[in-house]
Amino acid sequence: MLTRIPTGTWLPAYVPQRTTVLATILLLCSMVQSATVGYDGSCLNGLNILPSYANYFNLNAATTGLNTASIFIGGILANLVGGMLTDHYGRRLSMLYFSLLSLLGIVLQAAAQNTAMFTVARVVLGFGTGVNGIAAGVYLNEAFPSRWRTWGVGTLNNFYYIGALIAAGVTLGTSSWPNSTWAWRLPSLLQGVFSIICIVLLPFIPESPRWLVHRGLNDAARTTVAACNADGDASDPRAMAVYAEIVDTLTWEREVGKTLSPLEIFKGKTTRRRLMIGASPGVITSSTGNIIASYYLGDELTSAGVTSSLAQLKANVVLNVWCLACAVAGTQLLVRWGRKPSALACQFALIVLLYIIGGLSKVYADHTAAGVTSSNALVYGNVAAIFLFQGAYSVCYTPILNLYPPEIMNFSMRANGFAFMNLLLNCCALVLVYVMPIGIANIGWKMYMVNASWDWLFLIFIAVFWVETKGRTLEEIDEIFEDRHPHVSDVEDKAGHPVDVSVGEVKEVPEEGKVE
């Protein structure tokens, strides 16, 4: 059964009555950016292995880097305006408009006639997916059922590997067309399936209740909170508690002068501290070393001793299955362990594994230079270390990327702060995706050692500055940073499960007046 609820925009919403069904649709609709980016990374991995792709564009190390990294140019441009667009149009309309733009970029990429057209298409695609990523990440944090938020939002970025797995399978299949441009055009075109899924599902999800309260649409917000948390029952104690916290917090933000201006993220010591912590995953997740396997797995496997194109394409498929399994397990780990302990363990494991990969790659390179055939044990050991590295990354950094930054930032800075985090991510990724093939070509195994060495700085940063947010609602996280308490605290206990809140404990909140 579907119920129409107000959204504050021209796009209506006919939402399922059951919260579990709605939560599923919320997640599937929001996955568009993570699945598209995952597909893109794995697709380019496969294309960079395919001779038909390299020969068509006459690629060298520099143009390979440009073709691959150009998506991040669009991402950088998107993150300069994405937060403002998400706040202005709302979360749903932003996902709609920029899913359509992503489709345009995908069609252009599939139809590319030369490197310039391919690059422009990927800039357009990067812009569309960039704004989509901001809107989807903020939206799911704000709309997903409170009691399942950690699991749901953590799962969002796991769709990266679903997209990557599909792309790996597609490029493996089209590798049997060595003389056809469709070997790379078809994988490029199929990337649009996730945007289409998002567009189809958008009419069946509500707008963010926090965005509705900001617009002064309190009745709509109350209805939306009930739909997202209590099967549409507005008198449910949990729904009343969540709604009261939202209105109380946004009212407080208005009273202390907070606005949705992009400059708001830099105002005040507390806000800057939240921005520093919340934006740090953008730098960390793009700079730990995963860029190599995400976009240049072929080069990495070649340095490990796996030189067959078919074997590399098969490894790409298996690697994405492995990473998806690790990411799913890691989402549950964030629920149980929390964000900070998981990140510390993950970062330390990545450092150790990068040193191992670098050391084994050096031995293989020395053997090759001396004309000595490397043993299977050396090759398999290096491949195993690569898989363990990507698995360790997936356990924590894949689910945490869309979960931790939005919950660290309050409503006034959430969209623009999340955009700033993504801006840093895209800037780092742009540089590293372009530089990595050049670095591997020139210094080989030493690139892993350099990467591992700067990763120590990230470990220290996490240990010193990150704060734990496990078991708190978005409004309750304010207690960590602000000298105030939410209207109703402890909606969730420390294990992330709901506690009883009687109706009498929840004060009714006035609806009149636009919260700005």
Side-chain angles (χ1 to χ4, degrees), residues 333-378:
L333 189 67
L334 291 180
V335 175
R336 294 181 177 275
W337 277 19
R339 288 48 155 171
K340 186 172 181 177
S342 299
L344 287 171
C346 169
Q347 187 64 26
F348 182 75
L350 294 179
I351 293 171
V352 172
L353 287 167
L354 270 182
Y355 282 131
I356 292 174
I357 294 171
L360 293 175
S361 297
K362 179 185 184 301
V363 174
Y364 177 80
D366 290 345
H367 285 181
T368 301
V372 178
T373 301
S374 296
S375 66
N376 288 336
L378 175 62

Side-chain angles (χ1 to χ4, degrees), residues 47-204:
L47 298 190
N48 285 329
I49 295 171
L50 292 177
S52 60
Y53 167 74
N55 294 336
Y56 184 85
F57 291 108
N58 295 315
L59 298 177
N60 54 37
T63 52
T64 297
L66 177 62
N67 267 13
T68 307
S70 51
I71 192 172
F72 297 107
I73 299 174
I76 290 171
L77 297 174
N79 291 316
L80 294 175
V81 296
M84 292 180 285
L85 293 171
T86 299
D87 281 336
H88 177 73
Y89 291 112
R91 291 27 173 159
R92 293 167 76 243
L93 284 185
S94 296
M95 285 192 283
L96 172 63
Y97 294 151
F98 292 96
S99 290
L100 292 171
L101 185 64
S102 296
L103 283 175
L104 174 61
I106 288 165
V107 170
L108 290 174
Q109 177 176 317
Q113 301 299 306
N114 50 51
T115 300
M117 185 175 176
F118 193 89
T119 300
V120 170
R122 289 181 58 72
V123 171
V124 174
L125 175 59
F127 190 88
T129 56
V131 179
N132 243 327
I134 296 165
V138 170
Y139 174 75
L140 204 63
N141 268 279
E142 294 180 346
F144 207 76
S146 177
R147 60 192 182 277
W148 304 322
R149 186 179 61 82
T150 297
W151 177 86
V153 181
T155 299
L156 174 59
N157 211 40
N158 295 351
F159 281 93
Y160 178 99
Y161 291 115
I162 293 179
L165 178 58
I166 294 172
V170 170
T171 53
L172 176 60
T174 61
S175 66
S176 61
W177 309 340
N179 300 317
S180 172
T181 61
W182 283 103
W184 60 267
R185 293 190 193 276
L186 182 60
S188 297
L189 193 60
L190 291 178
Q191 192 167 358
V193 66
F194 306 109
S195 296
I196 294 172
I197 291 173
C198 176
I199 293 168
V200 170
L201 292 179
L202 272 170
F204 303 103

Side-chain angles (χ1 to χ4, degrees), residues 59 80 88 94 156 170 183 245 254 259 263 273 283 285 313 361 365 377 382 399 403 429 470 502 504:
L59 298 177
L80 294 175
H88 177 73
S94 296
L156 174 59
V170 170
E245 277 194 340
R254 177 194 60 187
T259 69
L263 297 178
R273 180 188 173 210
V283 177
T285 58
L313 288 168
S361 297
N382 205 346
L403 173 65
K470 185 184 77 168
S502 67

Side-chain angles (χ1 to χ4, degrees), residues 2 16 21 47 53 60 90 158 190 197 215 221 243 246 264 266 273 294 297 299 320 324 334 345 457 465 488 513-514:
L2 301 177
V21 176
L47 298 190
Y53 167 74
N60 54 37
N158 295 351
L190 291 178
I197 291 173
R215 291 280 173 168
Y243 170 74
I246 293 170
E264 187 68 41
F266 302 108
R273 180 188 173 210
S294 295
L297 180 62
D299 291 337
N320 282 293
L324 175 60
L334 291 180
L457 299 176
F465 293 106
V488 178
K514 179 179 177 181

Side-chain angles (χ1 to χ4, degrees), residues 177-493:
W177 309 340
N179 300 317
S180 172
T181 61
W182 283 103
W184 60 267
R185 293 190 193 276
L186 182 60
S188 297
L189 193 60
L190 291 178
Q191 192 167 358
V193 66
F194 306 109
S195 296
I196 294 172
I197 291 173
C198 176
I199 293 168
V200 170
L201 292 179
L202 272 170
F204 303 103
I205 62 173
E207 183 53 83
S208 159
R210 290 161 174 88
W211 186 82
L212 290 170
V213 170
H214 165 73
R215 291 280 173 168
L217 302 172
N218 289 27
D219 277 337
R222 180 187 281 112
T223 303
T224 299
V225 168
C228 292
N229 291 275
D231 295 332
D233 183 5
S235 64
D236 179 84
R238 183 189 292 114
M240 294 180 69
V242 172
Y243 170 74
E245 277 194 340
I246 293 170
V247 177
D248 179 68
T249 300
L250 294 187
T251 300
W252 174 81
E253 290 187 22
R254 177 194 60 187
E255 291 172 348
V256 299
K258 293 183 180 295
T259 69
L260 298 184
S261 166
L263 297 178
E264 187 68 41
I265 64 176
F266 302 108
K267 292 181 179 179
K269 181 178 179 181
T270 298
T271 300
R272 288 193 293 271
R273 180 188 173 210
R274 296 178 85 146
L275 180 66
M276 177 184 70
I277 298 171
S280 63
V283 177
I284 294 172
T285 58
S286 60
S287 306
T288 52
N290 65 301
I291 287 289
I292 304 174
S294 295
Y295 285 91
Y296 302 111
L297 180 62
D299 291 337
E300 186 170 26
L301 290 175
T302 297
S303 70
V306 180
T307 57
S308 165
S309 295
L310 182 60
Q312 290 176 358
L313 288 168
K314 290 180 178 179
N316 193 23
V317 175
V318 177
L319 178 61
N320 282 293
V321 173
W322 163 247
C323 288
L324 175 60
C326 291
V328 171
T331 302
Q332 187 61 31
L333 189 67
L334 291 180
V335 175
R336 294 181 177 275
W337 277 19
R339 288 48 155 171
K340 186 172 181 177
S342 299
L344 287 171
C346 169
Q347 187 64 26
F348 182 75
L350 294 179
I351 293 171
V352 172
L353 287 167
L354 270 182
Y355 282 131
I356 292 174
I357 294 171
L360 293 175
S361 297
K362 179 185 184 301
V363 174
Y364 177 80
D366 290 345
H367 285 181
T368 301
V372 178
T373 301
S374 296
S375 66
N376 288 336
L378 175 62
V379 174
Y380 294 153
N382 205 346
V383 172
I386 293 170
F387 272 62
L388 288 174
F389 176 89
Q390 288 300 109
Y393 176 93
S394 303
V395 163
C396 178
Y397 287 146
T398 295
I400 212 171
L401 186 60
N402 283 295
L403 173 65
Y404 193 61
E407 66 183 11
I408 285 293
M409 303 172 191
N410 58 19
F411 179 82
S412 297
M413 64 180 303
R414 185 167 294 131
N416 287 306
F418 193 49
F420 184 77
M421 186 279 290
N422 279 285
L423 174 64
L424 296 181
L425 186 155
N426 278 275
C427 287
C428 291
L430 173 63
V431 173
L432 291 172
V433 169
Y434 183 78
V435 167
M436 280 298 178
I438 300 173
I440 293 174
N442 285 279
I443 62 174
W445 63 269
K446 295 178 183 177
M447 197 71 208
Y448 300 107
M449 300 303 192
V450 171
N451 206 148
S453 297
W454 75 53
D455 278 356
W456 284 106
L457 299 176
F458 299 142
L459 181 70
I460 295 170
F461 183 92
I462 294 169
V464 174
F465 293 106
W466 277 30
V467 298
E468 186 53 64
T469 56
K470 185 184 77 168
R472 295 173 181 260
T473 66
L474 294 179
E475 284 68 38
E476 289 168 354
I477 292 170
D478 276 353
E479 297 178 16
I480 300 173
F481 299 97
E482 309 284 355
D483 186 20
R484 64 178 298 276
H485 297 281
H487 185 82
V488 178
S489 61
D490 297 326
V491 174
E492 302 172 25
D493 67 16

